[in-house]
Amino acid sequence: MGGHAPGEDLDRLAASARAAMVREIELSGAWADDPVWRAAFEAVPRHLFVPYYYVAGPGGYERRWGEHPDPAARERWVRGAYADTPLATRLRDGELLSSSSQPSLMATMLTALRVRDGDRVLEIGAGTGYNAALLAHRLGDDGLVTTVDLDPEITESARRHLDAAGYHPAVVTGDGARGVPERAPYDRVIATCALPRVPRPWLAQCRPGGRILTPFATGLLALTVRDADHAEGRFLPTPAYFVPLRGAEQSRPETPGLGGVPRRAREDDLFRFLLALTRGSLDPQEAYALWERERAPGRERYGVTVGDGGTWAWLDDPAGPYVWPLPS
């Protein structure tokens, strides 16, 4: 009787699981505006970028890895690698340092980046290298994709994963808030980590008309760059929660007390987003009054303007009545 080597069985299982993940992403509508991304997710083997990861359980984190001696454990690893969920990839003293984002959210972000052939892209937060591989598959290995991370262990492992998968974007160790000026200018900047403000170097390193997509205040902010000092744009409707960027100065105001705010508002995701976005420019009672008056506005009604005089958040219209200063 014939048989299959264990590696061949895992390869077939990975291909089947990857196809199922692609179908699930397609059903979410993530790339309806740019189906070219489907080919990237079909081609790039996510399991090569997560040779091990951690799954939260009642007793703490369970480590899954591809070299486990138990075939059933290896199967759980490869199936989990293609689940449409974020995967914790680095922990230190119980703190999550790095992760591989949820694939459908990655697809949403990559589609919203509006990449065109020949664009130069800077990714902030190398992570496992999977997102950079998707970009490299879309744009080619012609030096168009740069990814940066502060932690040399993360960038070194990202390089190994990318090499194993056959992709070769530029992987740089450095502070993502400062960009990578030596490889600028860029047409697109995408961040896969949360920041308390929009770093000015990103604007300076973007061509006029370039697009910046970054997690901000539990949302995804898409900015169009006018010049080195000016950018403006709105949030996508999608909520997003990312590991914070490390390295840049990260002062964060304390979450204000919510005494006097009704429970239905305190527990509402859009009200919490409003508080996170305005960060002290509105007290909770003012935020609640606005949230109630405007009938719980969705993230897509908010925007941010970066100018030479500062940074502002706004609702509906940057010249309208609802405008708040943000830390620059």
Side-chain angles (χ1 to χ4, degrees):
M1 293 178 61
H4 301 293
E8 292 176 353
D9 289 341
L10 273 184
D11 287 344
R12 274 195 298 276
L13 178 58
S16 171
R18 184 158 64 252
M21 181 190 75
V22 168
R23 288 194 297 270
E24 188 170 355
I25 297 173
E26 186 154 50
L27 288 173
S28 76
W31 52 52
D33 296 333
D34 191 357
V36 72
W37 287 109
R38 178 189 175 109
F41 279 86
E42 286 176 331
V44 179
R46 191 188 189 202
H47 69 285
L48 296 184
F49 293 86
V50 286
Y52 63 88
Y53 57 86
Y54 302 89
V55 177
Y61 282 97
E62 172 202 350
R63 187 176 187 264
R64 295 183 184 175
W65 73 99
E67 300 298 324
H68 198 292
D70 179 2
R74 292 197 299 272
E75 182 174 327
R76 284 195 299 275
W77 161 74
V78 78
R79 289 188 185 281
Y82 289 101
D84 188 26
T85 58
L87 298 176
T89 54
R90 282 184 181 269
L91 301 172
R92 184 175 297 157
D93 299 327
E95 178 189 2
L96 178 61
L97 298 181
S98 187
S99 65
S100 180
S101 301
Q102 182 178 7
S104 59
L105 179 59
M106 296 171 72
T108 296
M109 293 177 68
L110 289 167
T111 301
L113 195 60
R114 300 179 186 171
V115 170
R116 303 161 301 186
D117 291 349
D119 276 351
R120 296 180 62 83
V121 179
L122 172 63
E123 180 194 30
I124 311 297
T128 65
Y130 180 51
N131 200 59
L134 293 165
L135 283 162
H137 184 89
R138 167 69 177 83
L139 291 167
D141 257 346
D142 297 324
L144 296 176
V145 178
T146 301
T147 185
V148 59
D149 205 289
L150 182 69
D151 190 331
E153 291 184 7
I154 289 177
T155 51
E156 179 55 35
S157 66
R159 281 191 198 96
R160 288 198 305 271
H161 302 158
L162 285 158
D163 284 345
Y167 296 99
H168 305 94
V171 182
V172 177
T173 303
D175 184 351
R178 296 173 181 165
V180 184
E182 63 270 23
R183 294 185 57 82
Y186 305 101
D187 301 284
R188 300 288 186 266
V189 175
I190 182 170
T192 56
C193 46
L195 294 96
R197 59 186 58 81
V198 178
R200 296 288 179 142
W202 296 1
L203 276 64
Q205 292 169 34
C206 251
R207 289 192 175 101
R211 188 167 175 86
I212 294 172
L213 184 67
T214 182
F216 192 80
T218 77
L220 294 169
L221 176 61
L223 296 169
T224 299
V225 176
R226 192 178 89 197
D227 56 40
D229 295 310
H230 299 84
E232 187 170 270
R234 291 180 178 271
F235 285 87
L236 306 187
T238 310
Y241 301 87
F242 282 82
V243 175
L245 176 73
R246 290 174 298 134
E249 185 270 316
Q250 292 280 320
S251 63
R252 296 167 185 264
E254 292 184 6
T255 302
L258 297 178
V261 174
R263 181 176 178 178
R264 65 185 181 87
R266 294 199 306 269
E267 296 178 352
D268 185 90
D269 174 64
L270 292 173
F271 178 69
R272 305 286 302 195
F273 167 72
L274 174 58
L275 285 179
L277 176 60
T278 55
R279 286 186 295 169
S281 295
L282 288 179
D283 66 36
Q285 293 296 335
E286 291 172 318
Y288 171 67
L290 172 63
W291 178 81
E292 185 80 0
R293 184 166 57 248
E294 294 294 323
R295 300 181 180 180
R299 285 174 171 81
E300 68 277 7
R301 288 180 59 187
Y302 295 92
V304 169
T305 299
V306 181
D308 49 14
T311 304
W312 303 269
W314 39 267
L315 176 69
D316 291 334
D317 185 345
Y322 302 123
V323 179
W324 310 280
L326 297 178
S328 295

